[in-house]
Structure formats: structure tokens, C-alpha cells
Amino acid sequence: NAGIFTTINAAIAPDGTMTATKVIPAASGGEYVLGPPNVTTASGGVSVGIYFKAGEYSYAYIYVQSGYGPSRMGAVINLTTGAVTQTTAVGPYQGGAVFTPINVGNGWWRVGITFSASSGGPSGVILITALPSASPTYHPVYLYSTVAGNGTSGIYAWGAQIENNPFPTTLI
């Protein structure tokens, strides 16, 4: 996790426990890795469910990778309205990705992400970062956000789940 700070147990999560993590981009910028590679190595559906809440920043950037190499897609989520304000993609992304925010109350949004896995490569690599605005800058090849933070402001995340399924299921 380069260029990012996290504070665990920083806020009350959607389930009422004090287990939400604060995600804070450093002044140099960076992202937090959520998913291990090789969630699946066969072609098929992969889904992600993760909860977000605005902190001092009101936007989350979520980036997914499918297969080796250049197949990547990302989205900016407005944590006040739930709108997907921007999407980015590069390479022969297999099946695209669908980002679906759902308001679950108390300022929390569950963002579901579904995409098709590439055969023969790692899938389900997920990166997130907090953004101060809806218009971040991106690395021209890898699409991760290059927006620098201030080292103290961020967003809250909780309950990330990656699974071999064509749709996100209830948190396990």
C-alpha cells in the first residue's frame, strides 16, 4: 500500500461496531490494495462489495484489474449522492465492469462491482483511494489515481469482499 495511510477502528461501521477503517492518501498520493491476485484463474464472473462513507473527502476511487497486463477499469464514486461521476478503462477489458452504489443509511454506501475475469491471469485486484474532488488525475498506463492528499483527510471503508460470483452477495 504505497502512499496511503490507514487507521483501523476509526468509525462506526454499517453493522454498528467500531470497525471501519479510515483511508488517507499521503501528500505523495497512493492507493490501498484490497484484493489479492488469483481470486479466480478461469474465465467467469467476479464481484466485489465494499462499504464507503465520506469523511473529510467525499469521493472514492475504485480500480479493478482483470488478468495480466493492461486490462483495468476504475470509477469515481460521489459519497454524498452515490453517483458514479467518472469511469476510466484501458486495454482489452473483458466484459467491462459495472459499479453499483447502494445507500445503506447513516452516510454509508455499499458499492458493488462486477466484471468478467480473464482466463489464465490474476483477477480481483482492487485498489481504492480517497479523493478531494470528482476530477482526479490518473497514471497514463496503469490508471491508478495520482491525486495527492494532505496526509490527514480521507474516507471510511469497511466490509470489502471479493468472490467468484457474477454479483456481490451479502457480507460473509
Side-chain angles (χ1 to χ4, degrees):
N1 298 320
I4 203 92
F5 303 107
T6 57
T7 304
I8 60 171
N9 303 329
I12 297 173
D15 70 348
T17 62
M18 187 70 149
T19 54
T21 297
K22 188 170 185 184
V23 177
I24 306 163
S28 60
E31 60 282 325
Y32 185 61
V33 178
L34 290 177
N38 295 318
V39 169
T40 182
T41 56
S43 292
V46 175
S47 64
V48 175
I50 181 169
Y51 294 82
F52 288 109
K53 183 176 184 174
E56 298 83 10
Y57 290 165
S58 297
Y59 298 90
Y61 180 66
I62 309 167
Y63 158 105
V64 297
Q65 178 176 331
S66 177
Y68 290 112
S71 296
R72 299 172 177 86
M73 186 171 181
V76 175
I77 309 296
N78 180 323
L79 300 178
T80 303
T81 66
V84 177
T85 62
Q86 232 181 67
T87 59
T88 57
V90 67
Y93 206 83
Q94 299 200 7
V98 177
F99 297 83
T100 309
I102 298 170
N103 187 339
V104 296
N106 294 324
W108 285 98
W109 294 87
R110 183 170 195 233
V111 179
I113 307 163
T114 57
F115 60 98
S116 293
S118 292
S119 181
S123 298
V125 175
I126 309 297
L127 302 171
I128 65 168
T129 195
L131 299 173
S133 77
S135 301
T137 55
Y138 305 100
H139 185 280
V141 175
Y142 301 109
L143 289 186
Y144 57 79
S145 171
T146 57
V147 172
N150 62 16
T152 59
S153 299
I155 62 173
Y156 299 97
W158 180 80
Q161 178 171 287
I162 302 171
E163 52 194 322
N164 288 326
N165 212 13
F167 54 87
T169 62
T170 304
L171 186 63
I172 299 172

